[in-house]
Amino acid sequence: MYLLTVLALIPLGLVLWFTVSRGLPSVLHPEFFTNSFRPVGIPGGGIAHAIVGTGILVGLASLMAIPVGILGGVYVAEYAVDPWASWVRLASDVLVGTPSIAIGLFAYALVVVPVHHFSGIAGSVALAILMLPIVIRTAEGAVALIPHGLRESGLALGLPRWRVSLQLILPAAAPGVITGALLAVARASGETAPLLFTSLGNTLFKVDPTQAMQALPLTVYQYALLPYKSLQDQAWGAALVLVVMVLGINLLSRWVLRRQIRLAGQL
Amino acid sequence: MAAAVESASTAMPPARRVPDRFRTVSALVAAAAPAILVVIVVILFQQAAPAVRHFGLGFLTGTEWNPVTDMFGALPAIFGTVSTAFLALVLAVPVGVAVAVILAEQGQTTLRGILGTGIELLAAIPSVVYGIWALYVLAPWSYQHLELPISDRFGSIGWLSQPGARSLFNASLVLAVMILPTLSAISREVIRAVPRGLKENAVALGATWWETTWRVILPSARAGIFGATILALGRALGETIAVTMVIGNRYAIPPSIFSPAYTLASVIANEFNEATGTLYPAALIELGLVLILVTLVVNIVALLLVRSTSREASRAA
């Protein structure tokens, strides 16, 4: 059994090892982070456009998904006995498992078709749909951890329900809620499939979300499949940046969560 | 827990019942999740309508995919999706369950802590990173060291012949690596939910660690492990990018598992941006609709199974 566990970790370790060893040579050049795409043969190409694009896409998606997700999660936890709450829970669980490529098709039909061109906004709508169920379920979990006593003392003081939920319970649950939001951000940063037909990708440095936009995962996907060594090297570099970013956000969220558990112990 | 609050507030009824507006507003906001799910299916159905009308049920059994003659059938893509996902499960389930058993053991050793955190972090690695690794490292290695030796020895069996670096088998291999973390993380929770008493009874009766695990713990966690397997199946069915990079993208039912094939998600990823006319994009969206409906059913079954096990466990405890 231990042998099988080690067997399981071998490929997983290899993924990290190759990403670091093949990506490091690209990442060590500072212009990799300051320059955008350069045609094959011209040295000094970088992924600045992809990094900024990912930031804008995920930022817009977070603005859409996080507030709605948190309020939805508070509802599901605070009114857990409502039949509607269990429907929301089921729908969120199913939505988490929905293929991201299908969500990309949906965002294409919803945003790209009416305005007749690809845009960062369409990409962020797709990412927001991916993030929403994660935020709802983690916020619900965090709120449900708060002891009844806090809620009951708020109600006993005559506070209305919305103030109890939003000004008393939610701040107490904040670390758990933030953890969930961070996990959703990490997931959205790494997704390629929903961006293929929405933000499409761009070789130029763009900050206008009504235009087609590049993103880190798109860079890895597109460059890796091209027959040019220099672009393949950049793909490995972009993959390394992506892995560091996603794992960094994950570790950060773990640290926040550990504080939550310690706080909950004190209450 | 909310029930306790409800009963506390109804124990002393106020003179005038104030409508709980917060409940209404937050319920409406929470409705975003179910609403999006319904709208996705409706809009995709509406966009696929030309193809649905034109081909009817024949779309699911047709084997030809020809944009020039406007002939579209989904069978090779459905075959590719289902067979890569099942092959990935066959490869990943024994390993994933073994990892879960080890991780669920009582007592927190540092090694187990590191393994647990490591496996959870690996679930977070983006699929495109698995994709680039599979394309440049895993597929060439598997071609040299798995496909060639196997087909040399068993090549007379049709479905083990014709080795190639871009193949259905290599796509399943990378899928197996990708679903492993999910599989073992959920199975670990399910195995942990098995009441301690059961295990202690078995040990008290003189059962060895192996007998306890094999005859007591795994059977009582059976439904939950099955649920975890189906959730992993759902992920494998919908995975796009990593599979597209190694499966070889040939629209036919492959003669051998070492031949190139295609999946529903990869056809969409590769062809949708170039699809012109009305029937071609509609057919691609119909592929997406088939994919989404299959994963929907798979996921709901899995969720019900996982929930029923954890409920049973909490009743027994």
Side-chain angles (χ1 to χ4, degrees):
Chain A
M1 283 264 184
Y2 274 99
L3 200 73
L4 279 176
T5 311
V6 174
L7 182 74
L9 284 172
I10 289 174
L12 301 170
L14 286 176
V15 173
L16 286 182
W17 166 249
F18 277 97
T19 310
V20 172
S21 67
R22 299 241 179 137
L24 213 54
S26 304
V27 172
L28 288 178
H29 297 287
E31 65 263 37
F32 188 64
F33 294 97
T34 54
N35 289 355
S36 293
F37 171 78
R38 298 251 172 110
V40 177
I42 301 174
I47 56 164
H49 59 317
I51 295 176
V52 170
T54 284
I56 293 172
L57 287 170
V58 176
L60 285 176
S62 305
L63 284 181
M64 288 183 259
I66 292 178
V68 175
I70 291 179
L71 194 54
V74 168
Y75 166 75
V76 175
E78 291 278 85
Y79 299 96
V81 284
D82 276 15
W84 183 237
S86 57
W87 281 105
V88 173
R89 213 175 289 134
L90 179 68
S92 310
D93 285 347
V94 172
L95 206 52
V96 169
T98 303
S100 52
I101 186 104
I103 292 175
L105 281 178
F106 168 68
Y108 171 85
L110 197 72
V111 188
V112 178
V113 171
V115 298
H116 299 295
H117 67 85
F118 298 103
S119 67
I121 294 175
S124 54
V125 166
L127 294 182
I129 296 174
L130 270 167
M131 292 172 70
L132 181 70
I134 306 177
V135 180
I136 290 182
R137 291 298 262 146
T138 48
E140 180 207 346
V143 169
L145 273 180
I146 303 302
H148 305 171
L150 188 63
R151 188 176 292 110
E152 279 157 14
S153 33
L155 290 171
L157 287 171
L159 292 176
R161 264 316 274 268
W162 70 271
R163 291 193 66 179
V164 173
S165 296
L166 294 186
Q167 297 185 334
L168 209 60
I169 307 286
L170 193 57
V177 173
I178 294 169
T179 301
L182 284 173
L183 286 177
V185 166
R187 168 92 198 271
S189 316
E191 281 288 344
T192 321
L195 300 180
L196 289 173
F197 334 119
T198 50
S199 91
L200 188 71
N202 203 326
T203 52
L204 304 172
F205 189 95
K206 290 277 180 200
V207 288
D208 176 6
T210 62
Q211 301 293 314
M213 238 178 195
Q214 188 64 317
L216 273 173
L218 281 176
T219 307
V220 181
Y221 179 61
Q222 291 160 350
Y223 288 9
L225 293 172
L226 292 173
Y228 305 106
K229 179 83 172 49
S230 64
L231 288 181
Q232 291 171 4
D233 288 344
Q234 288 184 34
W236 280 105
L240 177 58
V241 173
L242 197 58
V243 166
V244 168
M245 211 170 89
V246 168
L247 291 190
I249 298 174
N250 263 280
L251 288 174
L252 180 71
S253 72
R254 261 154 207 283
W255 178 77
V256 173
L257 191 67
R258 215 164 291 146
R259 286 193 44 196
Q260 153 92 354
I261 291 166
R262 214 176 303 142
L263 277 178
Q266 284 165 5
L267 275 173
Chain B
M1 131 251 13
V5 178
E6 286 311 322
S7 63
S9 58
T10 47
M12 214 171 40
R16 184 172 55 90
R17 210 152 174 45
V18 186
D20 189 350
R21 281 210 198 89
F22 177 67
R23 177 191 195 151
T24 319
V25 171
S26 61
L28 280 177
V29 172
I36 287 172
L37 200 59
V38 172
V39 172
I40 287 178
V41 175
V42 169
I43 289 217
L44 289 187
F45 196 78
Q46 183 199 332
Q47 297 277 321
V52 176
R53 264 199 307 271
H54 192 271
F55 296 110
L57 279 177
F59 184 76
L60 298 177
T61 52
T63 54
E64 202 185 335
W65 188 266
N66 192 338
V68 181
T69 57
D70 262 350
M71 275 305 297
F72 299 107
L75 193 62
I78 295 175
F79 177 86
T81 296
V82 172
S83 53
T84 46
F86 271 98
L87 195 51
L89 281 187
V90 170
L91 296 169
V93 167
V95 183
V97 172
V99 173
V101 168
I102 299 288
L103 292 179
E105 283 282 299
Q106 304 279 328
Q108 191 76 35
T109 66
T110 358
L111 177 69
R112 203 169 292 131
I114 294 171
L115 283 180
T117 313
I119 285 193
E120 277 168 39
L121 284 180
L122 287 160
I125 290 184
S127 63
V128 72
V129 175
Y130 283 108
I132 189 175
W133 173 74
L135 178 64
Y136 287 110
V137 183
L138 180 68
W141 179 86
S142 143
Y143 172 67
Q144 280 295 329
H145 297 99
L146 295 176
E147 291 190 2
L148 280 180
I150 292 176
S151 66
D152 274 353
R153 217 152 298 165
F154 305 103
S156 49
I157 307 169
W159 54 275
L160 290 175
S161 59
Q162 304 176 24
R166 307 280 182 95
S167 64
L168 192 150
F169 176 73
N170 285 342
S172 312
L173 212 53
V174 66
L175 273 180
V177 173
M178 292 175 71
I179 60 176
L180 200 61
T182 321
L183 197 58
S184 37
I186 301 173
S187 304
R188 177 186 62 183
E189 295 312 310
V190 175
I191 292 173
R192 273 196 185 148
V194 173
R196 275 188 76 168
L198 271 182
K199 190 186 169 187
E200 282 159 8
N201 287 349
V203 174
L205 287 171
T208 60
W209 180 84
W210 185 257
E211 285 165 341
T212 315
T213 304
W214 198 245
R215 303 250 175 94
V216 177
I217 296 182
L218 288 183
S220 51
R222 195 178 43 210
I225 292 175
F226 190 59
T229 308
I230 298 185
L231 273 183
L233 174 67
R235 281 202 63 178
L237 291 171
E239 175 48 45
T240 312
I241 294 299
V243 170
T244 308
M245 289 168 95
V246 292
I247 198 166
N249 304 330
R250 192 175 69 188
Y251 205 93
I253 293 179
S256 145
I257 59 168
F258 298 145
S259 304
Y262 228 152
T263 67
L264 290 166
S266 352
V267 180
I268 302 169
N270 275 327
E271 300 190 4
F272 191 68
N273 276 338
E274 277 115 52
T276 50
T278 45
L279 215 47
Y280 191 12
L284 285 167
I285 292 180
E286 195 176 351
L287 291 184
L289 201 61
V290 172
L291 178 63
I292 213 171
L293 292 178
V294 171
T295 47
L296 219 68
V297 172
V298 164
N299 279 322
I300 290 176
V301 170
L303 288 171
L304 293 179
L305 276 172
V306 171
R307 268 188 207 173
S308 76
T309 340
S310 45
R311 207 170 301 144
E312 258 167 45
S314 59
R315 211 178 299 138

